[in-house]
Amino acid sequence: MILDQVIFLITAVVVLTAAILVVSVPKMIHAALWLILALAGIAVLFVLLQAPFFAVVQVIVYIGAIAVLVIFAVMLTRKAMQDDGPQLNRYSVLAAAVSLMLFAVLTGMLLSWDGANNLPVNPAVNPDTIVNLGESLTNPQGFLLPFEVASILLLAALVGAIYIGREHRAGKEEE
Amino acid sequence: MNTIPMSYYLVLSAVMFTLGAIGVIIRRNPLVMFMSLELMFNAANLTFVAFSNAFGNANGQIFVFFVMVVAAAEVAVGLALIVAIFRTRHSIDIDLMNTLKN
């Protein structure tokens, strides 16, 4: 199955290039567009990992909703950050060094673990994955309670975002 | 059929997570910091799905579901906060957000 490896390598290169550009390009709107490319690459990797449901959810939720939210926020606050000003904060060199240490520790830990090289990534398709997901999300012995808590969290975030984001002129009139 | 070793996925997500971490701590622009946060979420999700696949257990994918829920909530509230801060201070420079200091 050399095709899998070719697809993986191309996707990995695209994702990493897009991720580097998200972090480094000065214009926010360009960073948002590169972020969409990186998220699409992750969706491709989900397909390679036999997780079709999450590949679709990735496209709908991340590319469809979160990316649009980010682009709207960029457009609403565009004049606030001139794209030509200094982009890095005062401690950027120290911060980059700490991040590289984080990378060294992460890869060191992950690769020193035996399973990293022995554990097969299983290409055998399990046709019941989506059925399993749905059943365990609605099973009281499974993940029903966390599922309901997640819906409450989303409702709370919705109400909170509307409250924070609205103009407060109306509120002042009430006072 | 071990076509793509697990370590490839792990290294890819480690690199992606580190890029996100670099973006969060060195950029001054909170929106770009949000985008870097999304990169970190996605790196973690990739690891969850890779392990879920390797162990043949769907629990990893269920965790990805909850990560996505929390990420969506975080982005909605965070972007509303940024827009609100922009409205009151006419700037979203992260170095100027020091009203709570002292």
Side-chain angles (χ1 to χ4, degrees):
Chain A
M1 281 287 191
I2 198 73
L3 184 63
D4 279 8
Q5 295 177 352
V6 172
I7 294 174
F8 175 83
L9 288 177
I10 293 173
T11 315
V13 169
V14 169
V15 167
L16 289 184
T17 316
I20 290 170
L21 285 168
V22 169
V23 175
S24 61
V25 290
K27 289 198 169 171
M28 281 189 282
I29 193 81
H30 291 179
L33 295 175
W34 285 116
L35 177 72
I36 292 176
L37 184 61
L39 298 176
I42 295 291
V44 172
L45 292 178
F46 283 173
V47 172
L48 274 184
L49 283 167
Q50 311 295 339
F53 177 68
F54 282 101
V56 174
V57 169
Q58 175 88 4
V59 172
I60 294 174
V61 172
Y62 272 102
I63 302 176
I66 291 184
V68 170
L69 258 184
V70 168
I71 289 174
F72 264 98
V74 168
M75 291 197 283
L76 284 175
T77 59
R78 207 160 186 185
K79 288 177 194 137
M81 292 292 286
Q82 278 82 19
D83 290 336
D84 49 0
Q87 295 292 324
L88 306 178
N89 62 20
R90 283 164 291 169
Y91 307 109
S92 54
V93 178
L94 186 64
V98 171
S99 304
L100 289 180
M101 277 162 58
L102 170 71
F103 172 69
V105 171
L106 266 181
T107 34
M109 287 292 286
L110 287 172
L111 293 183
S112 65
W113 173 58
D114 290 337
N117 295 314
N118 303 332
L119 210 58
V121 171
N122 187 8
V125 185
N126 181 1
D128 290 338
T129 312
I130 297 176
V131 177
N132 283 341
L133 276 178
E135 279 175 355
S136 53
L137 279 178
T138 51
N139 179 7
Q141 257 72 50
F143 294 90
L144 180 62
L145 183 64
F147 184 65
E148 298 297 335
V149 172
S151 58
I152 299 288
L153 174 72
L154 278 179
L155 179 66
L158 184 70
V159 174
I162 292 172
Y163 178 74
I164 295 169
R166 71 176 182 155
E167 300 263 5
H168 279 279
R169 259 178 254 137
K172 275 173 195 160
E173 283 165 12
E174 285 165 12
E175 278 167 9
Chain B
M1 287 215 299
N2 186 357
T3 54
I4 304 166
M6 186 73 186
S7 52
Y8 285 24
Y9 286 103
L10 295 180
V11 170
L12 175 63
S13 57
V15 174
M16 207 171 152
F17 189 88
T18 313
L19 280 171
I22 290 176
V24 169
I25 58 183
I26 75 174
R27 292 295 296 258
R28 283 170 57 232
N29 187 328
L31 280 168
V32 178
M33 292 166 76
F34 264 100
M35 297 177 204
S36 308
L37 267 180
E38 295 305 319
L39 285 180
M40 292 166 79
F41 275 126
N42 274 280
N45 279 351
L46 181 61
T47 318
F48 274 125
V49 174
F51 276 118
S52 163
N53 183 300
F55 288 110
N57 188 336
N59 286 358
Q61 298 197 10
I62 288 173
F63 214 95
V64 171
F65 177 81
F66 291 117
V67 170
M68 281 180 172
V69 169
V70 173
E74 168 259 337
V75 166
V77 175
L79 291 180
L81 274 175
I82 288 178
V83 172
I85 291 170
F86 172 67
R87 243 191 237 128
T88 52
R89 310 200 47 165
H90 300 287
S91 165
I92 52 170
D93 191 334
I94 209 81
D95 286 343
L96 300 178
M97 292 183 198
N98 52 8
T99 317
L100 286 182
K101 211 171 175 180
N102 299 324

